[in-house]
Amino acid sequence: MNKKSEKVSPKEKQENLLLFCGGAFMTAGPVFWFLMNSAVSARVLTLSRDMASLMDIVNVIVALLFSVSGAALALAGWGISAWHAWRELKSDEAGA
C-alpha cells in the first residue's frame, strides 16, 4: 500500500465509496439506456411490435433505476460527509 492510502480514515473511505459508486451508477444509467436502445433498434425487424415496445419500457425503467439509485448513493455519501464534518466542527468548538 502507498503512504496516501494509509492516511485515509475509515470515515473518508466510507464517504468516498458511497460518492464514487453513486457517480458510477448515475453514469451507468444513460450508458445502459443508449446501449440497449441501440440493440433494440438493431433487432426491431425481428421483434414483434409489442415486444419492441415492452423492451423500450424495460430499457427506460432499468436506466432510471440505475440513475436514481446512483443519485441516492451519492446523496448518502454527501450526507455522511457533511455529518462527519459537522461533528468534527462541533467537537473542536467544545474542546476550545
Side-chain angles (χ1 to χ4, degrees), residues 13-77:
K13 288 181 183 178
Q14 182 184 26
E15 296 163 4
N16 289 342
L17 181 67
L18 286 170
L19 286 166
F20 293 145
C21 287
F25 271 92
M26 284 192 291
T27 304
V31 170
F32 177 82
W33 177 83
F34 175 75
L35 292 175
M36 285 301 294
N37 194 29
S38 299
V40 169
S41 296
R43 304 289 279 168
V44 76
L45 295 177
T46 60
L47 295 172
S48 67
R49 189 179 334 176
D50 292 335
M51 183 58 84
S53 63
L54 179 65
M55 293 286 286
D56 283 338
I57 291 171
V58 169
N59 182 19
V60 169
I61 289 171
V62 172
L64 282 174
L65 179 70
F66 276 142
S67 296
V68 170
S69 63
L73 280 172
L75 187 60

